[in-house]
């Protein structure tokens, strides 16, 4: 709700976009809590099962939105907008919308012509986290795990998570200072990662 209020410029809620940040932290916490339980139970992570569950949860609603946008583009949208909407849809399907939209105009300077799929940038960041974070944990398991030493594995995972979080948090202001617009810093996977990693760190601790 806070994000919606921010986008309609409701007085007193100019910081409503922080709702996205809170969502990322909570998502990182919940996902990592489940992964920790799986490691404690089986001393491994079933990556295929994890990724399949995430797709089943998120893809149906996303595909419905994309289909509606494509129907609108084909029937009602101005002709000059149709090629860009096709590209927006494709990048949304492959979960790279954040990198795509940061090149397509400022997220923070609405001019009335933004893509109806612009909000999908946050879903892309979330899905990229779901793809990469279990892989990082799997590498930690393979590298340091010994049978019956789950605690050691989680200790190392906590250290790796903290290091990644610190790198991302430092990179954010650096790129913000170097960019002409805040979009690269705000929407980049690398700079946004500290938020779900903050939740992940809390779960590991």
């Amino acid at each position: 709700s806070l994000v919606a209020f921010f986008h309609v410029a409701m007085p007193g809620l100019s910081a409503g976009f922080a709702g996205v940040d809170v969502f990322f932290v909570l998502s990182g916490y919940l996902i990592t809590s489940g992964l920790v339980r799986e490691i404690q139970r089986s001393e491994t992570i079933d990556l295929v099962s994890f990724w399949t569950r995430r797709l089943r949860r998120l893809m149906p609603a996303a595909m419905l939105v994309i289909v509606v946008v494509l129907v609108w583009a084909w029937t009602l949208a101005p002709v000059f907008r149709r090629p860009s909407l096709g590209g927006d849809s494709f990048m949304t399907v492959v979960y790279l919308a954040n990198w795509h939209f940061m090149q397509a105009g400022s997220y923070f300077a609405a001019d009335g012509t933004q893509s109806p799929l612009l909000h999908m940038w946050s879903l892309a960041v979330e899905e990229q986290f779901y793809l990469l974070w279990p892989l990082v944990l799997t590498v930690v398991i393979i590298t340091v795990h010994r049978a019956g030493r789950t605690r050691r594995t989680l200790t190392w995972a906590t250290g790796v998570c903290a290091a990644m979080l610190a790198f991302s948090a430092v990179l954010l202001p650096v790129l913000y200072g170097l960019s002409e617009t805040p979009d690269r810093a705000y929407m980049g996977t690398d700079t946004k990662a500290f938020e779900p990693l903050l939740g992940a760190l809390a779960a590991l601790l």
Side-chain angles (χ1 to χ4, degrees):
S1 299
L2 291 175
V3 179
F5 291 150
F6 163 74
H7 281 292
V8 297
M10 182 170 287
L13 289 174
S14 58
F17 62 86
V20 175
D21 308 310
V22 173
F23 170 78
F24 279 136
V25 174
L26 290 175
S27 180
Y29 176 82
L30 294 172
I31 288 300
T32 305
S33 295
L35 293 172
V36 167
R37 286 192 297 270
E38 184 173 357
I39 294 171
Q40 291 172 329
R41 181 177 62 253
S42 60
E43 300 184 351
T44 188
I45 296 175
D46 186 340
L47 293 174
V48 174
S49 176
F50 173 83
W51 290 329
T52 300
R53 291 195 303 270
R54 299 281 70 75
L55 284 174
R56 287 177 177 174
R57 182 176 181 83
L58 297 174
M59 185 57 80
M63 288 304 301
L64 176 61
V65 172
I66 292 169
V67 168
V68 170
V69 168
L70 288 176
V71 170
W72 171 76
W74 183 255
T75 58
L76 298 173
V79 175
F80 72 89
R81 293 200 63 185
R82 293 176 183 175
S84 63
L85 289 170
D88 296 345
S89 299
F90 174 77
M91 297 304 284
T92 299
V93 168
V94 297
Y95 291 121
L96 292 173
N98 59 321
W99 295 101
H100 171 68
F101 284 123
M102 72 176 65
Q103 308 296 331
S106 179
Y107 179 69
F108 293 92
D111 60 5
T113 62
Q114 274 103 339
S115 169
L117 294 173
L118 177 60
H119 63 287
M120 290 294 191
W121 75 266
S122 59
L123 181 63
V125 173
E126 184 181 5
E127 281 296 317
Q128 290 159 28
F129 175 75
Y130 292 162
L131 173 66
L132 298 174
W133 179 231
L135 284 175
V136 170
L137 291 178
T138 298
V139 170
V140 172
I141 291 171
I142 293 172
T143 303
V144 305
H145 183 70
R146 297 292 184 273
R149 299 295 296 274
T150 301
R151 188 177 186 87
R152 172 185 170 90
T153 299
L154 295 179
T155 299
W156 275 85
T158 302
V160 170
C161 181
M164 292 172 61
L165 190 161
F167 175 79
S168 176
V170 170
L171 187 62
L172 172 64
V174 170
L175 289 184
Y176 180 84
L178 295 176
S179 302
E180 295 182 359
T181 67
D183 298 76
R184 170 62 183 89
Y186 186 71
M187 299 168 71
T189 308
D190 47 2
T191 51
K192 207 67 175 175
F194 80 93
E195 294 176 350
L197 286 173
L198 182 60
L201 183 62
L204 286 163
L205 290 172

